[in-house]
Amino acid sequence: QVQFVESGGGLVQPGGSLRLSCAASGSVFRVYGFSNFGMGWYRQAPGKQRELVAQMNSGGAADYADSVKGRFTISRDNPNHTLFLQMNSLEPEDTAVYYCNNVHTPWTWGQGTQVTVSS
């Protein structure tokens, strides 16, 4: 059973930074290797659909939604099955619950971590 535990969210002023972490666990990662999965960070703001904002494929190539390009950086620690999201120059529009998951075939969602950008 795959499990994701997201952390690192909080309340930050506009222009501030946060670093999110996602600890992934499950036999699928032990058997096939965390590095072999394209992983991504998603977010869901109140009243809106969940959207993919950053992803990294098995080869380490990253891609970003236009709304966060140049401000967010995704990275991964494959031996420790962990995904990160460095978020800089945060804007009120970034306020959402952030989740991590497989990009191609999402598994069960974790509880996410709340990011609130407000003065």
Side-chain angles (χ1 to χ4, degrees), residues 82-100:
T82 306
L83 192 70
F84 301 101
L85 186 67
Q86 177 67 42
M87 305 188 296
N88 299 328
S89 303
L90 282 162
E91 303 169 353
E93 294 74 22
D94 297 317
T95 295
V97 179
Y98 285 72
Y99 305 85
C100 67

Side-chain angles (χ1 to χ4, degrees), residues 12-107:
V12 63
Q13 292 187 341
S17 298
L18 285 173
R19 187 177 190 237
L20 307 184
S21 298
C22 169
S25 61
S27 60
V28 65
F29 298 126
R30 293 193 298 273
V31 171
Y32 297 104
F34 183 72
S35 62
N36 286 315
F37 294 96
M39 296 296 298
W41 282 97
Y42 299 76
R43 70 184 181 188
Q44 187 166 22
K48 295 187 176 181
Q49 288 189 334
R50 188 174 288 155
E51 62 172 340
L52 178 65
V53 297
Q55 59 183 302
M56 179 170 279
N57 66 16
S58 58
D63 195 19
Y64 302 91
D66 287 343
S67 58
V68 307
K69 199 169 293 185
R71 300 187 298 120
F72 289 10
T73 303
I74 188 172
S75 60
R76 60 197 297 169
D77 177 357
N78 289 324
N80 290 304
H81 300 180
T82 306
L83 192 70
F84 301 101
L85 186 67
Q86 177 67 42
M87 305 188 296
N88 299 328
S89 303
L90 282 162
E91 303 169 353
E93 294 74 22
D94 297 317
T95 295
V97 179
Y98 285 72
Y99 305 85
C100 67
N101 212 318
N102 184 336
V103 172
H104 301 293
T105 54
W107 291 296

